[in-house]
C-alpha cells in the first residue's frame, strides 16, 4: 500500500530545555499526534524504557522524561522545507 505524505518539513522540538530541529513527514489521518522515530532517538542519544516508557538522555545522569504526563513541545507553525 502506498502512503502519501503532506510533505517533508523541519520541525522544532523541545525536550527538557533542549531544542532540536529534525526533518519530519506530515501524514494525513495519522492515529497519533506524532511518532518519534529511531533516527531521532539515536541521533540525540535518547533511550526509551521503564514501565512508563520514559525517555532518558543517555549522556546524563538518569533524569527520565515521562511520556505519560508531558508531550514534547512541537512548533506546529514551522513549515520550513
Amino acid at each position: 500500500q502506498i502512503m502519501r505524505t503532506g510533505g517533508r518539513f523541519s520541525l522544532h522540538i523541545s525536550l527538557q530545555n533542549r531544542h532540536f530541529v529534525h526533518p519530519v513527514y506530515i501524514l494525513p489521518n495519522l492515529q497519533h499526534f506524532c511518532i518519534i522515530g529511531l533516527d531521532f532517538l539515536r541521533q540525540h542519544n535518547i533511550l526509551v524504557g521503564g514501565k512508563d516508557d520514559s525517555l532518558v538522555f543517555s549522556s546524563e545522569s538518569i533524569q527520565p522524561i515521562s511520556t505519560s504526563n508531558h508531550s514534547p513541545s512541537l512548533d506546529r507553525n514551522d513549515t520550513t522545507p
Side-chain angles (χ1 to χ4, degrees), residues 11-14 33-34 71-77:
L11 184 67
H12 294 261
I13 303 170
S14 297
F33 172 69
C34 73
S71 297
S73 172
L74 303 174
D75 184 355
R76 294 183 190 189
N77 296 317

Side-chain angles (χ1 to χ4, degrees), residues 52 66-71:
D52 62 350
S66 174
T67 57
S68 58
N69 297 332
H70 303 286
S71 297

Side-chain angles (χ1 to χ4, degrees), residues 46-79:
I46 299 173
L47 305 173
V48 179
K51 52 186 165 179
D52 62 350
D53 289 331
S54 295
L55 301 177
V56 177
F57 289 98
S58 65
S59 60
E60 297 182 354
S61 59
I62 306 272
Q63 182 77 9
I65 305 166
S66 174
T67 57
S68 58
N69 297 332
H70 303 286
S71 297
S73 172
L74 303 174
D75 184 355
R76 294 183 190 189
N77 296 317
D78 179 27
T79 58

